[in-house]
Amino acid sequence: MNPNLLNKFRTPETPGSFFLSFEGIEGSGKTTQLKNIESFLINEKKKRVLVLREPGGTIFGEKLREAILGSTVPLHPLAECHLFLASRAQLLHEKILPFLLIPDSVVILDRYVDSTLAYQGLARGLGVETILTLHQHNPLNLLPHRTYFLDISLETSMERQKKRGQEKDYFESEKLEFYQKLIDGYRSLTSIFPDRILKIDASVTPEEVGKEILSDLKKIIA
Ligand SMILES: Nc1ncnc2c1ncn2[C@@H]1O[C@H](COP(=O)(O)OP(=O)(O)O)[C@@H](O)[C@H]1O
Ligand SMILES: [Mg+2]
């Protein structure tokens, strides 16, 4: 990876404030786990917490979420990518950046840049460098302090999605081969960002996954 490109990125610097994200394929437990750390941060660390999901999180972003996840035709990977980036830029501008200026605030994101790297960069084949290049300017160049990548197998994801029993969206109706590429893609991102992304075995019970996340979080947030 080109080090000059990685140098374009930054993390928020407000004292006591943190930017966190959750990543992983459908059913990996992102929504379950972020609720767990939200209550820890509010009750035990007395932080102001903002939880947001991608794509979406703003009125404009929710419209884009509809456009992407509700699409009945296959979109070109670059079209997909630019829709996600538009939603993300607006979310950063309207919500994330202003909130992170407040001391002792924490923003927790349910999916962020690593989703674009894994889905459009690796599974759809645009490449990691292309995606990072598109993120190099303000406000898109903001990286989380920590990203929890919840790692599960294809089989586990399918089982949990079946149990949840919702109608499949645009990405969920992809072929198994696409899902495997996504899993491999996420796993390979941990070596590009070894200090930021923490891979967690999310095939165990929610309690065990939660414990591992909390033990890491306690080291970051004193
Ligand atoms: N560690 C776990 N073990 C078993 N089931 C889980 C675990 N974590 C989450 N689930 C269940 O799997 C489904 C997907 O979890 P969810 O948190 O919605 O995942 P995501 O937000 O990553 O798609 C839910 O029905 C949830 O109750
Ligand atoms: Mg979820």
Side-chain angles (χ1 to χ4, degrees):
M1 184 57 50
N2 177 356
N4 289 337
L5 182 54
L6 293 180
N7 284 340
K8 309 267 188 199
F9 291 84
R10 63 189 184 94
T11 46
E13 286 174 4
T14 306
S17 294
F18 297 90
F19 184 21
L20 309 171
S21 66
F22 280 83
E23 293 284 354
I25 59 171
E26 282 314 305
S28 57
K30 300 180 294 298
T31 307
T32 307
Q33 293 302 329
L34 68 80
K35 284 189 188 132
N36 188 31
I37 71 161
E38 182 185 14
S39 50
F40 165 78
L41 290 166
I42 294 172
N43 299 326
E44 294 193 32
K45 294 291 171 186
K46 310 297 174 207
K47 299 285 185 189
R48 288 180 62 167
V49 180
L50 178 64
V51 176
L52 297 163
R53 70 166 179 182
E54 274 212 356
T58 62
I59 292 170
F60 172 72
E62 289 296 332
K63 282 187 192 155
L64 287 174
R65 184 186 176 92
E66 253 313 293
I68 304 164
L69 300 182
S71 178
T72 49
V73 292
L75 298 172
H76 186 279
L78 210 48
E80 245 174 57
C81 180
H82 281 287
L83 285 170
F84 282 115
L85 263 58
S87 167
R88 181 166 305 141
Q90 191 62 22
L91 189 65
L92 281 154
H93 169 67
E94 254 186 53
K95 304 257 170 99
I96 301 172
L97 288 169
F99 196 80
L100 284 173
L101 288 177
I102 306 165
D104 294 311
S105 62
V106 182
V107 172
I108 311 173
L109 278 193
D110 194 334
R111 293 192 177 282
Y112 188 56
V113 61
D114 302 295
S115 286
T116 314
L117 289 167
Y119 279 71
Q120 285 74 38
L122 293 158
R124 294 266 198 251
L126 290 178
V128 167
E129 288 222 19
T130 304
I131 305 292
L132 287 177
T133 302
L134 292 171
H135 281 84
Q136 67 182 312
H137 300 293
N138 189 51
L140 287 170
N141 62 348
L142 194 78
L143 288 179
H145 293 100
R146 173 68 88 226
T147 296
Y148 296 106
F149 160 42
L150 305 182
D151 189 27
I152 54 169
S153 68
L154 187 59
E155 294 72 30
T156 306
S157 171
M158 293 303 147
E159 266 169 39
R160 289 188 193 168
Q161 286 187 46
K162 212 188 282 169
K163 258 193 217 151
R164 193 160 54 176
Q166 284 170 355
E167 218 175 288
K168 287 186 184 324
D169 72 22
Y170 177 69
F171 285 110
E172 288 164 356
S173 44
E174 282 286 347
K175 295 198 180 72
L176 293 185
E177 192 192 337
F178 176 81
Y179 261 88
Q180 191 55 54
K181 276 193 199 162
L182 209 47
I183 294 170
D184 297 340
Y186 265 127
R187 288 176 182 165
S188 72
L189 289 178
T190 56
S191 54
I192 301 176
F193 298 102
D195 298 333
R196 174 174 65 87
I197 304 180
L198 183 66
K199 182 172 90 134
I200 290 180
D201 174 9
S203 65
V204 294
T205 66
E207 292 73 24
E208 285 170 298
V209 177
K211 232 178 168 177
E212 207 178 326
I213 294 170
L214 275 187
S215 101
D216 176 74
L217 198 59
K218 283 175 184 167
K219 284 184 227 154
I220 303 175
I221 303 184

